[in-house]
Amino acid sequence: QCRPIWPHYYANTQAVIFVVDSCDRERIQLVRTELGSLCSHPDLDDAVSVLIYVSIMMLIQLLVLRTLKYMS
């Protein structure tokens, strides 16, 4: 996994894009922990912008499939 090497790239970072798979509910707690660690790291002070991108389309597709299955 490449997560342990993330801090090596934090120095002089101006922005972070954090992508979350909204369908992977098993890893939501891990995502929360990693995002907390990232935001509290001393090399990523208040000047860093964070964009959290959640893949909602995958969630919508899952809900549609569940609805179709329920209706049949």
Side-chain angles (χ1 to χ4, degrees), residues 6-38:
W6 285 359
H8 297 286
Y9 297 98
Y10 290 170
N12 301 315
T13 297
Q14 296 177 354
V16 174
I17 300 174
F18 197 84
V19 181
V20 179
D21 179 358
S22 62
C23 292
D24 192 353
R25 294 178 185 251
E26 295 174 6
R27 295 181 63 184
I28 291 296
Q29 184 59 41
L30 175 63
V31 167
R32 181 179 177 191
T33 301
E34 290 297 331
L35 186 58
S37 296
L38 182 127

Side-chain angles (χ1 to χ4, degrees), residues 1-9:
Q1 299 212 8
C2 47
R3 226 174 286 127
I5 64 169
W6 285 359
H8 297 286
Y9 297 98

Side-chain angles (χ1 to χ4, degrees), residues 61-72:
Q61 291 171 348
L62 180 64
L63 291 173
V64 168
L65 290 173
R66 284 186 181 171
T67 303
L68 290 174
K69 182 178 179 181
Y70 177 76
M71 293 175 65
S72 59

